[in-house]
Amino acid sequence: RRVLFRSCKLGDSAIVVKQYTSANSLFTGISGSPNYVLGGDATGDRNKTSWIVNFDPTNAQGPLFVTRDISGAWKSFANETGSGRTYVMIGIDAADTKWAAGSSGLLWFNERSQGTRWGRITTANSTLTDNDISAFAVDRNGMLWMGSGTAGLSVISFPSLVLRPSPSIPGISRLRLLRDQVINDIIVDPQNNKWVATNSGVWILTEDGGDTIGYINKKRYPALLSDEIKSLALDPISGTV
């Protein structure tokens, strides 16, 4: 992936695709190959600014977050926690704090914070059970949901604690359900239910993750090619998963 793409629809059928590289944006390539850009997840904030993770598996220097606002202006933000760019996933909570997840645990950033703007949550300073986070989502109440290959699902109910004048690490609860499952992806539907992709199918959990309301696997739905589900996607307009 040497470029990132943005597509927009013009009229009833025309689709325009724009390429962004290290030459026409603020993206930085990986160590040893500055033109080879690896983009992680992207999301939008309340001001319709796009936030993209500028991933680098070699943990090189450079911006972790690259943004593009509705006017087309670019900005970049280098990781000030010293943990490099080994993050892939991104989500924005109700306080407009940006959270990144990956093989180095959780990282948070709030450019408007009057105090500390950057911080990390790892197994060393919290009850996080695994630094290698394989799935991440922010739900409709602003809670953070995390999955891993070894520790099932965990949730942070009050992420805004990191923005207090004296920041504190928010509590992390490990869910009873799916404790032994390999978690590959998490999405949140319009009813705030959690859809969880695992190596044994898709589990649909209630809003608080306390109960299962559905289960999809190859045995129940033969059209499914495999029980090993790597990713999920949601159409925000129709609610179709």
Side-chain angles (χ1 to χ4, degrees), residues 216-236:
I216 300 170
N217 65 0
K218 194 175 186 305
K219 183 177 180 180
R220 295 185 177 190
Y221 299 89
L224 199 65
L225 298 178
S226 171
D227 285 337
E228 188 175 344
I229 309 300
K230 292 297 186 183
S231 64
L232 299 166
L234 173 73
D235 183 330

Side-chain angles (χ1 to χ4, degrees), residues 3-20:
V3 296
L4 290 100
F5 298 92
R6 178 176 65 93
S7 64
C8 57
K9 189 173 183 181
L10 299 178
D12 294 331
S13 58
I15 296 177
V16 176
V17 178
K18 175 70 175 180
Q19 297 182 1
Y20 295 115

Side-chain angles (χ1 to χ4, degrees), residues 53-217:
V53 178
N54 191 188
F55 174 66
D56 187 343
T58 66
N59 210 18
Q61 297 301 309
L64 173 62
F65 296 124
V66 175
T67 70
R68 185 179 188 275
D69 66 20
I70 56 176
S71 72
W74 295 89
K75 286 185 180 179
S76 64
F77 301 90
N79 180 0
E80 297 179 7
T81 70
S83 56
R85 293 158 53 195
T86 57
Y87 300 88
V88 180
M89 295 157 279
I90 185 174
I92 301 178
D93 69 17
D96 207 34
T97 299
K98 289 73 185 176
W99 293 83
S103 60
S104 299
L106 275 176
L107 173 145
W108 63 268
F109 168 65
N110 192 308
E111 73 276 22
R112 297 182 180 87
S113 173
Q114 298 300 309
T116 303
R117 298 203 314 163
W118 292 85
R120 287 182 70 198
I121 297 177
T122 68
T123 56
N125 66 356
S126 73
T127 55
L128 188 67
T129 53
D130 191 343
N131 283 332
D132 193 1
I133 298 172
S134 56
F136 179 75
V138 180
D139 76 10
R140 297 181 181 276
N141 294 325
M143 298 167 64
L144 311 184
W145 294 77
M146 300 158 288
S148 78
T150 62
L153 280 175
S154 298
V155 60
I156 296 178
S157 299
F158 304 104
S160 61
L161 290 176
V162 299
L163 297 180
R164 286 184 170 181
S166 297
S168 60
I169 300 296
I172 302 174
S173 302
R174 187 180 177 192
L175 271 65
R176 173 182 55 83
L177 292 176
L178 310 187
R179 183 174 288 253
D180 300 320
Q181 296 289 329
V182 175
I183 311 298
N184 297 320
D185 199 9
I186 306 167
I187 62 171
V188 181
D189 70 17
Q191 286 73 46
N192 209 28
N193 299 318
K194 283 50 181 196
W195 295 62
V196 184
T198 73
N199 285 353
S200 60
V202 177
W203 302 77
I204 308 169
L205 308 182
T206 54
E207 182 177 16
D208 63 358
D211 291 296
T212 302
I213 57 177
Y215 176 53
I216 300 170
N217 65 0

